[in-house]
Amino acid sequence: MAMTNNKTLCFICNEEKITYVCEGCSKEFCLMHLTEHRQMLNNELHHIASEYNEFKQTINEQKQNPQNHSLIEQINLWEIDSIEKIQQKAQECRENVIKSCINDIEMKFKDLNKQIQQLQKENEFNEINLEYLRNQLTKITEELNNSSNTSIQQSSQPLISDISIILSKKPTWNKWRQNAITVAGGNGYGEKLNQLSSPTGIFVDENKNILIADYDNHRIVEWKYNAKEGQTIAGGSGRGNRMNQLTSPTDVIIDQQNHSIIIADYANRRVIQWLNQKQQILIDDIDCRGLAIDKHRFLYVFGWKKNAVRRWKMGEYNNEGILVAGGNGKGNELNQLNSPGFLFVDEEQSVYVSDRYNHRVMKWRKDSKEGTIVAGGNSVGRNLNQLSHPLGVIVDDLGRIYVVDAGNHRVMRWCEGKEEGEIIVDGNGDENRLNAPVALCFDDEGNLYVGDWENHRIEKFEIIL
């Protein structure tokens, strides 16, 4: 019997030999050339480590001479103008600049250095590891050299002006591609994992994973980035009011502190929290439809029957909450709402409510007794100064209001104080036509996601400016 030939061609010498596969590049090498290949990888690792040391020296130089930083120079000029009254504030701001612009990056370099040292010590690495290290080094280097995401905020006050350090300001979003990409659902009405049934609330996390309140399927599904189907992460056990069931959920948000999800369990008249498949009813006996959490960890819930928005301190639900909007019966006065749709809370704890049957968006400042109209309010219609049954609402860092104009099948942007808005997504393309859109959300790059209710899908409109 002939001996089995287990030889293959070596990638380097192209001769038939016993070869070994490199997991990083998936190429086959004979023993001699495998050793050479490993030495080449080792040299590349040393080169990356050398680049790291060069940038570490740059960091040390900036730490030793922080006065050379452009933001520090601005702070020093401000300090001279304001003399003794602002010296303490100037020192605080200097420390914040050093901490945010240098120390934080240094910590990332230290973490990267540990990974490099570990690879050098274990001598277990391949092209994939090296590509990861190089990408991380490039990313951190860009952070060090680019201070455009950091600025000084100055506000006028008597005698002196106060300043603070503003970090990572979000981009100014202007235009989006009108041809949408379906990123969830879009396979007809149904309960399969690649289908949605009347999606309502949506939430996009920092990894561009999409959480969806799948209304008619009585579940919350998560679609991973670029996934072909979702996975059920809450509910999905049929319609019901048991702890592991949902009935017609309308909204879902994430509590970033413990990474739990909080759900407006609409037909069960409760707000329920899911954490690692364990459930807890936070607020019971409430006609909830929309949810929000602010930076001070207050949970906002509106009851559509009472036409009111109330808030609770997270973890303190043994009371009726604090009224923050509406609560004066159904109507169209400035202290009233009429079947609100969704809500948003900004950094100043102002509450924005899409006042659906009044065809307007209302803004209620903290502790105010009535709201102001910031979008629509000119009866139902499709002119630029009108809305028709508005639903999802979001406000960006510049105070611009984005609202789903559901009855007109479009998304609009309004600037507070302006008499009319502008259409940013009209959904009028043949394949991309929106049909009764409900919710909207942005990812951290400014891409727009819209819950397309009647088409049972989530549409993504990519930002172009």
Side-chain angles (χ1 to χ4, degrees), residues 8 83 372 451-452:
T8 56
I83 315 176
T372 57
D452 197 6

Side-chain angles (χ1 to χ4, degrees), residues 390-406:
L391 289 171
V393 59
I394 285 178
V395 182
D396 68 16
D397 284 354
L398 299 178
R400 298 177 297 187
I401 301 108
Y402 298 79
V403 57
V404 173
D405 191 10

Side-chain angles (χ1 to χ4, degrees), residues 162-190:
D162 194 9
I163 66 170
S164 59
I165 302 303
I166 305 300
L167 303 175
S168 301
K169 187 174 182 179
K170 293 181 180 179
T172 301
W173 303 331
N174 288 318
K175 291 185 179 180
W176 292 261
R177 299 186 188 279
Q178 295 301 298
N179 293 323
I181 302 170
T182 300
V183 291
N187 297 297
Y189 181 96

Side-chain angles (χ1 to χ4, degrees), residues 219-382:
R219 67 189 181 186
I220 305 298
V221 292
E222 179 183 32
W223 285 63
K224 298 289 188 181
Y225 181 60
N226 283 338
K228 300 300 182 183
E229 63 180 30
Q231 59 183 27
T232 302
I233 60 174
S237 301
R239 178 189 180 100
N241 61 4
R242 297 197 306 268
M243 290 295 285
N244 68 337
Q245 291 180 306
L246 300 171
T247 301
S248 303
T250 53
D251 205 1
V252 57
I253 56 177
I254 293 180
D255 181 357
Q256 300 293 352
Q257 181 163 305
N258 59 13
H259 302 289
S260 66
I261 60 173
I262 300 175
I263 304 164
D265 193 7
Y266 171 70
N268 283 326
R269 304 185 69 250
R270 66 189 182 185
V271 177
I272 188 168
Q273 180 184 56
W274 284 59
L275 177 61
N276 299 327
Q277 294 304 310
K278 295 182 180 179
Q279 303 86 32
Q280 177 186 359
I281 297 176
L282 303 183
I283 306 171
D284 205 357
D285 192 26
I286 182 171
D287 296 297
C288 57
R289 181 176 284 162
L291 305 170
I293 298 179
D294 69 20
K295 66 179 182 180
H296 302 289
R297 292 189 52 73
F298 281 97
L299 175 65
Y300 296 73
V301 184
F302 71 72
W304 66 276
K305 283 188 176 181
K306 294 185 177 180
N307 293 286
V309 179
R310 310 187 79 88
R311 76 176 190 182
W312 285 260
K313 184 70 175 177
M314 295 289 286
E316 301 175 7
Y317 305 111
N318 56 348
N319 54 60
E320 294 185 354
I322 299 172
L323 181 68
V324 294
N328 296 294
K330 180 171 66 175
N332 61 4
E333 300 296 328
L334 292 180
N335 66 345
Q336 293 179 307
L337 298 169
N338 188 351
S339 190
F342 285 84
L343 72 152
F344 179 87
V345 182
D346 68 15
E347 293 289 309
E348 298 176 348
Q349 295 183 299
S350 294
V351 178
Y352 296 78
V353 184
S354 55
D355 194 7
R356 187 167 47 151
Y357 289 158
N358 284 325
H359 314 291
R360 66 189 185 184
V361 176
M362 299 292 293
K363 177 181 180 180
W364 292 66
R365 297 186 184 277
K366 183 181 179 183
D367 300 327
S368 64
K369 300 302 181 183
E370 63 180 31
T372 57
I373 301 173
V374 293
N378 297 297
S379 74
V380 62
R382 62 178 295 105

Side-chain angles (χ1 to χ4, degrees), residues 17 30 58 69 140 183 188 205 226 235 290 369 443:
K17 296 182 180 180
C30 66
T58 302
H69 198 287
I140 297 172
V183 291
D205 69 17
N226 283 338
K369 300 302 181 183
D443 62 26

